[in-house]
């Protein structure tokens, strides 16, 4: 049977965040509902993903702000039980939460397979400097992205809008979907609450009740036997549009550049 490989799968230990970015792409501050996973739930989710997906290039720990979760080190350890099924574990942070010794221990242990993605919105400069210093000293691979002041990384963010419906036609929906950078990279799959969606906007809109949930737009990772779930994912991967694109300004790459706006401005 044909292998099921994905370039990117995102897990969100918590949707809580200590920042309140006005243009947060997944609208964390805008909605009170901010799921916070238990270790047991995280473990079950990982198991279900790797039953269905054969290989993931980037397994990403994002949020919310994952460093707020006190059990994050344990969750990272659990990820490494599936180390033969992914290339690199990426950990995202907003550079505004101190990195704890237990987390550093795990990062050091797996330093050849982890990568820290540090987006600095200029809110807690002392914490950010300390984070970078600690990662450097311990030779943990990381990328620092400056998202404040002048010369922001990639000229800032794309404003993907709130979850207001645009009323696009079927043809327009297909255009938005096919031009989306996430889609063109093979999906930035998000798994939370037992559902697996093409992108963070789709899952967030569904969970806060702002985007209608269509059966054809997600995989229920806990329902059905493994082959049934694999078949459903294969169908999903062939999608030509998802309803979430009617509630998004789009996210276009360099050929058809979405307008960039200053990142990380706080509410
Ligand atoms: S740091 Fe900002 S963009 Fe990131 S999850 Fe928190 S509110 Fe959203
Ligand atoms: S909703 Fe559509 S356009 Fe927006 S990020 Fe998701 S796939 Fe891309």
């Amino acid at each position: 049977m044909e292998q099921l490989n994905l370039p990117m799968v995102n897990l969100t230990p918590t949707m809580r965040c200590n920042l309140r970015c006005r243009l947060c792409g997944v609208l964390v501050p805008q909605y009170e509902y901010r799921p916070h996973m238990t270790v047991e739930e995280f473990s079950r989710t990982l198991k279900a993903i790797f039953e269905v997906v054969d290989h993931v290039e980037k397994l990403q720990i994002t949020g919310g702000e994952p460093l707020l979760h006190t059990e994050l080190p344990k969750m990272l350890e659990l990820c490494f039980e599936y180390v033969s099924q992914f290339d690199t574990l990426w950990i995202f942070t907003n550079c505004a939460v101190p990195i704890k010794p237990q987390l550093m221990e795990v990062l050091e242990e797996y330093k050849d397979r982890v990568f820290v993605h540090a987006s600095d919105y200029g809110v807690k400069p002392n914490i950010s400097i300390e984070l970078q210093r600690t990662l450097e000293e311990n030779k943990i691979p990381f990328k620092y992205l400056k998202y404040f002041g002048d010369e922001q990384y990639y000229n800032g963010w794309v404003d993907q809008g709130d979850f207001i419906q645009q009323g696009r036609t079927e043809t327009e929906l297909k255009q938005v979907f096919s031009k989306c950078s996430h889609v063109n990279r093979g999906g930035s799959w998000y798994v939370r609450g037992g559902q697996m969606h093409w992108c963070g906007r789709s899952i967030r809109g569904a969970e806060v009740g702002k985007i209608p949930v269509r059966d054809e737009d997600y995989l229920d990772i806990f329902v059905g036997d493994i082959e049934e779930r694999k078949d459903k994912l294969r169908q999903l991967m062939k999608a030509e549009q998802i309803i979430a694109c009617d509630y998004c300004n789009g996210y276009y790459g360099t050929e058809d550049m979405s307008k960039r706006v200053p990142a990380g401005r706080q509410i």
Side-chain angles (χ1 to χ4, degrees):
M1 199 38 127
E2 191 193 337
Q3 289 264 306
L4 256 171
N5 302 330
L6 294 178
M8 193 187 293
V9 171
N10 291 275
L11 281 162
T12 52
T14 186
M15 287 300 281
R16 297 175 190 167
C17 190
N18 56 332
L19 301 190
R20 292 177 54 78
C21 302
R22 191 168 58 85
L23 297 177
C24 174
V26 288
L27 292 94
V28 166
Q30 285 79 1
Y31 296 94
E32 284 301 313
Y33 182 64
R34 293 177 197 130
H36 190 77
M37 283 174 140
T38 61
V39 172
E40 193 275 331
E41 186 184 356
F42 188 86
S43 174
R44 271 199 331 130
T45 303
L46 262 180
K47 179 170 180 286
I49 290 169
F50 285 115
E51 278 173 352
V52 174
V53 180
D54 293 297
H55 193 82
V56 175
E57 284 172 37
K58 293 180 184 175
L59 182 62
Q60 303 199 146
I61 304 297
T62 180
E65 170 50 44
L67 268 59
L68 289 178
H69 202 302
T70 55
E71 304 278 9
L72 184 62
K74 176 72 191 154
M75 291 169 164
L76 301 191
E77 296 269 16
L78 286 169
C79 291
F80 280 99
E81 291 181 8
Y82 300 89
V83 69
S84 62
Q85 284 182 264
F86 68 85
D87 290 338
T88 311
L89 182 68
W90 287 55
I91 298 108
F92 284 65
T93 179
N94 61 17
C95 296
V97 180
I99 195 158
K100 293 200 177 118
Q102 301 95 310
L103 178 56
M104 270 311 301
E105 275 174 30
V106 180
L107 295 180
E108 277 204 84
E109 186 179 350
Y110 298 104
K111 68 169 69 168
D112 56 335
R113 299 294 289 272
V114 297
F115 194 92
V116 177
H117 188 280
S119 299
D120 189 350
Y121 304 115
V123 182
K124 306 259 187 190
N126 293 342
I127 292 177
S128 176
I129 289 166
E130 180 61 17
L131 176 93
Q132 293 168 62
R133 190 191 63 74
T134 311
L135 293 172
E136 257 166 23
E137 265 184 22
N138 293 285
K139 297 191 170 44
I140 308 298
F142 75 100
K143 181 171 182 174
Y144 173 80
L145 296 83
K146 177 177 171 283
Y147 275 128
F148 61 93
D150 298 332
E151 296 181 16
Q152 296 192 3
Y153 182 75
Y154 223 86
N155 294 323
W157 277 349
V158 171
D159 177 3
Q160 290 180 265
D162 45 28
F163 290 135
I164 303 291
Q165 189 176 15
Q166 314 271 328
R168 293 187 168 111
T169 63
E170 176 82 10
T171 307
E172 288 167 339
L173 274 183
K174 286 181 181 172
Q175 280 171 354
V176 172
F177 184 74
S178 66
K179 287 200 301 184
C180 176
S181 294
H182 295 303
V183 172
N184 288 326
R185 285 194 293 251
S188 64
W189 300 88
Y190 272 72
V191 188
R192 189 162 65 240
Q195 294 190 359
M196 181 165 181
H197 288 241
W198 266 93
C199 69
R201 302 270 305 177
S202 178
I203 196 164
R204 182 67 173 151
E207 75 186 5
V208 298
K210 288 288 169 182
I211 297 179
V213 182
R214 299 191 313 190
D215 187 56
E216 65 265 37
D217 286 347
Y218 76 94
L219 167 69
D220 191 329
I221 59 161
F222 296 133
V223 174
D225 66 29
I226 294 176
E227 283 312 315
E228 283 170 345
R229 285 181 275 151
K230 280 180 179 280
D231 283 347
K232 174 77 190 274
L233 183 56
R234 285 195 184 93
Q235 288 307 311
L236 195 51
M237 288 165 74
K238 289 184 196 149
E240 294 187 336
Q241 45 94 345
I242 55 174
I243 195 65
C245 298
D246 202 21
Y247 298 77
C248 179
N249 292 347
Y251 189 76
Y252 309 136
T254 42
E255 307 88 54
D256 187 3
M257 184 78 138
S258 289
K259 186 176 162 237
R260 298 276 159 169
V261 293
R265 284 191 175 155
Q266 300 299 292
I267 294 171

